[in-house]
């Protein structure tokens, strides 16, 4: 899914392609920049996370790992520099969530996976913890809503120091890969057979 970011007052649409990531003008399609990021299976499917304070874009995929790209305007184009790179984090077909100077999400292609915290500015891994299969997550009201591929739904708090799971329950069947959707106090989750609406009030 394309992601809209703002670089020094200019909107750019960022799109993860099979072998690269690109930024373009959403008004006319003019290409602003491109960076190669390939992997064996051409599976660049995890949406990048934009950190506007440091102008860093965090992207990740299996095999190739994660990178931090620093963007800066250069006339009608943009310069891109690789700030860091690591293969210790591989956000895959699940999403990750940016909060403060960290990105949180599950890393790895196998189950069980690690839930991890990645420093946006340095690329350093703050922590990795087990407890979930590969999971999607949603940040709301200071908490993480976590849904793993086995159908386990959890409410957790994530900080640079660790992950605290406050409650969890099995609510769906495997395989559950769709990111939860929160509308007001209604949470919508689904697996391949059913969709469930939950009242979080």
């Amino acid at each position: 899914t394309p992601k809209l970011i703002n670089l020094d007052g200019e909107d750019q649409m960022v799109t993860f392609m099979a072998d690269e990531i690109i930024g373009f003008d959403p008004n006319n399609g003019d290409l602003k920049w491109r960076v190669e990021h390939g992997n064996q299976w051409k599976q660049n499917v995890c949406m990048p996370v934009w950190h506007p304070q440091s102008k860093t874009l965090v992207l990740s995929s299996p095999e190739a790992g994660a990178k931090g790209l620093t963007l800066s305007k250069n006339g009608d184009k943009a310069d891109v520099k690789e700030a860091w790179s690591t293969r210790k984090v591989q956000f895959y077909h699940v999403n990750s969530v940016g909060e403060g100077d960290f990105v949180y999400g599950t890393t790895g292609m196998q189950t069980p996976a690690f839930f991890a915290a990645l420093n946006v500015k340095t690329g350093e891994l703050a922590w990795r913890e087990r407890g979930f299969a590969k999971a999607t997550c949603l940040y709301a009201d200071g908490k993480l809503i976590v849904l793993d591929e086995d159908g386990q739904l959890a409410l957790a708090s994530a900080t640079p120091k660790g992950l605290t799971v406050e409650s969890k329950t099995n609510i769906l069947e495997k395989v559950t890969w769709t990111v939860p959707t929160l509308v007001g106090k209604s949470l919508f989750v689904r697996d391949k057979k059913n969709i469930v609406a939950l009242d979080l009030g």
Side-chain angles (χ1 to χ4, degrees), residues 121-185:
K121 295 180 179 178
T122 66
E124 295 178 351
L125 197 62
W127 49 261
R128 294 192 306 175
E129 296 187 12
R130 292 196 183 275
F132 294 100
K134 288 179 288 186
T136 60
C137 52
L138 179 71
Y139 183 81
D141 197 25
K143 306 287 185 183
L144 281 180
I145 298 170
V146 181
L147 179 64
D148 74 15
E149 68 176 358
D150 291 341
Q152 183 176 226
L153 181 68
L155 184 67
S157 298
T159 71
K161 295 183 179 180
L163 180 73
T164 301
V165 178
E166 300 177 11
S167 62
K168 60 182 177 180
T169 183
N170 289 318
I171 196 166
L172 294 170
E173 299 178 3
K174 190 172 182 176
V175 175
T176 304
W177 284 348
T178 302
V179 181
T181 299
L182 184 64
V183 181
K185 295 181 180 180

